[in-house]
Amino acid sequence: MCGIVGAVAQRNVVPILLEGLRRLEYRGYDSAGLVIIDGGLKRVRSVGRVASLAEECTAQQVSGSLGIAHTRWATHGAPSEANAHPHVSGHLAVVHNGIIENHEALRTRLQAEGFVFTSETDTEVIAHLIDLHLRSTKDLLAATRAAVAELEGAYAIGVVSADSPHRLICARKGSPLLIGLGIEENFIASDVSALLPVTQRVMYLEEGDVADIGLLSVKVYDDAGKPVDRSVHISELSADMAELGNYRHFMQKEIHEQPRALTDTLLTAVTQDSVQPEWFGYDASDVLSKVNAVTFLACGTSYHAAKVATYWLEEIAGIPAYAEIASEYRYRTTVPNPDALIVTISQSGETADTLAALNHAKTLGQDKTLTICNVAESALTRASRLKFLTRAGPEIGVASTKAFTTQLAALFLLTLVLAKLRGRLSAEQEAAYLAELRSLPNKAQQVLALEPQVEAWAQRFANKHHALFLGRGVHYPVALEGALKLKEISYIHAEAYPAGELKHGPLALVDEDMPVITIAPNDLLIEKLKSNLQEVRARGGELYVFADGDVHIEESAFVHVIKLPGGSNGALSPILHTLPLQLLSYHAALQKGTDVDKPRNLAKSVTVE
């Protein structure tokens, strides 16, 4: 949440900062601002989107060769110009991602020192605290290091001063920050996508690092103040991967990128003739052969992926599996199992609750860890023994789509590996499952071709305020994901239930104004699901059913059926049935007139607890 970009160069950096913010706007979009050092300190802030900030910068003819910028998702203080970053104290300015937990005590102390606060944010504390230390240290790096040593909580910060016109200081703890390396110019950002137009050479900062960045040098110090070298990585992403292209919204683009994303994620696996533990790391065979259970730690959409995987693992691999909401896991008493595999799932790899849950699990002696993630050098991948990289590419839309289906693909590979290591995968089953995976991207493309039919359904949702999603077995978590997508971007209140639970309460909600969206695969529960659908119709409910091609459900004026191409979709059915639910949410949001890519009150990459 929130986005940071900074630059020190021998050219005007304002266009770089604004383009970086535009690419980071999915992380927060209630206000934006920048500070430029050009003989003095020039600050421009605006409420709303980055486009408004760009207009202000043009109107004020702002330019300079050193600057920091920020796009905000509000935590402390309402969206307003006064609360927008950067925050200023004296001749210096600060941008900040994260939450400072001891800000109230620091504010009281700084007020006693004579500092006047003009915002409600915790970030302004950082600016004044650095300014306080600068009075004694007379050096921006030393003052920043002294200040962050007093901070409790999470932070990624960028600091500039009019007294140091070619110097950019940054620090991180618990919130992501990286350095981009150019030729006689350097940059900082909270996500590599912000820097792709200017560099693909990046350096990821570790916990507690503080960096001193100039035109020709980058010096990094660890939390003990010792100079350290951080490796330089060449990003595999290209600048146009985060561009909208011919699509109306990023969410629509990312829905249609799923066949490609699945192909890229599965490429190593499907080009081989057998299941290989090494897909998850060079020592994965040794680690995975010793586990007796699997515990997933995840949030939001990633938690729904974990729920699907628990069904796969218990049915195919015969291993106990549990899905835990990461934000709850470390705050309740659990019974640690040193032989359990702890699997964290995250699109960004920086999700604060998931990272904290992983660290908690490790303190309990659970050191068999695996991260499934879309970002190679994220905090979660660095903190885990094993990792699997989903190759979804940049996901800009706040409502996750391709990240979810590629997570499911990775989790199915994990299921096959554990099944094989446990002697539960015959040669015939192994070949059949790999064949299903090879055909998955093509099947996904065929399902996406149903978009016109789904769009026609969505037109009926324009005046709806509530919706109910039903699924059974492994498709119940898919129903949860469908309901989450609909509520996220259309603001239609949506809930999901196992279909068999209807008569235990939710049936009381069903009437002619409550659309009931149902997933109907051809599996062992299909006849019971049909009975549940009759319960809905008997109460006047209107059904919208996504069914496998060989499922027979009679259509009527109040029972609408869209059949997925082909017959039964087998074990990978949850992935394929997810796609039309995404399309339904997208087109329902269009009918409601909401901001699809930037829904109210939400932001991507939840890096605060």
Side-chain angles (χ1 to χ4, degrees), residues 27 49 169 328 341 363 424 474 479 505 522 539 544 584:
R27 285 175 170 258
R49 304 298 169 82
I169 307 297
E328 292 289 324
L341 177 68
T363 64
R424 296 196 33 120
V474 69
N522 190 5
R539 274 76 180 178
Y544 296 83
L584 180 64

Side-chain angles (χ1 to χ4, degrees), residues 244 247-258 395-402 485-486 488-489 581-587 589 596-597:
L244 188 57
Y247 291 94
R248 187 171 176 180
H249 297 93
F250 278 106
M251 183 179 181
Q252 184 186 34
K253 175 177 183 273
E254 289 154 10
I255 288 172
H256 284 276
E257 285 179 337
Q258 286 173 110
E395 190 178 64
I396 307 301
V398 167
S400 181
T401 52
K402 60 181 179 175
K485 287 291 153 287
L486 189 66
E488 278 182 311
I489 62 169
L581 297 180
Q582 295 172 348
L583 290 170
L584 180 64
S585 297
Y586 172 72
H587 285 288
V596 173
D597 287 333

Side-chain angles (χ1 to χ4, degrees), residues 403-475:
F404 178 67
T405 50
T406 53
Q407 286 170 355
L408 289 178
L411 290 165
F412 193 76
L413 293 180
L414 176 64
T415 299
L416 297 185
V417 167
L418 286 170
K420 188 170 184 177
L421 289 173
R422 295 168 65 83
R424 296 196 33 120
L425 195 66
S426 69
E428 293 78 10
Q429 290 172 319
E430 183 175 14
Y433 283 134
L434 287 174
E436 284 189 54
L437 288 168
R438 292 186 188 100
S439 66
L440 180 62
N442 183 56
K443 286 185 176 181
Q445 193 68 62
Q446 294 176 35
V447 173
L448 291 173
L450 298 171
E451 185 168 11
Q453 295 171 251
V454 178
E455 183 178 4
W457 276 12
Q459 294 174 9
R460 302 167 181 262
F461 283 67
N463 62 347
K464 301 299 183 185
H465 300 286
H466 308 277
L468 190 63
F469 285 72
L470 301 178
R472 294 203 71 145
V474 69
H475 293 87

Side-chain angles (χ1 to χ4, degrees), residues 84-162:
H85 299 214
H87 289 285
V88 170
S89 183
H91 295 160
L92 67 85
V94 171
V95 289
H96 165 231
N97 289 353
I99 291 179
I100 304 305
E101 295 174 355
N102 62 333
H103 71 99
E104 291 180 346
L106 290 172
R107 180 182 288 256
T108 300
R109 172 185 154 200
L110 290 163
Q111 287 173 327
E113 293 280 352
F115 288 97
V116 177
F117 284 78
T118 59
S119 79
E120 304 167 90
T121 69
D122 55 337
T123 301
E124 192 177 1
V125 164
I126 304 174
H128 292 318
L129 190 59
I130 296 174
D131 196 9
L132 176 66
H133 285 289
L134 190 58
R135 295 175 181 179
S136 57
T137 64
K138 308 300 182 183
D139 177 75
L140 191 60
L141 173 66
T144 302
R145 285 185 53 205
V148 298
E150 296 189 51
L151 302 180
E152 297 174 9
Y155 58 80
I157 62 171
V159 187
V160 294
S161 171

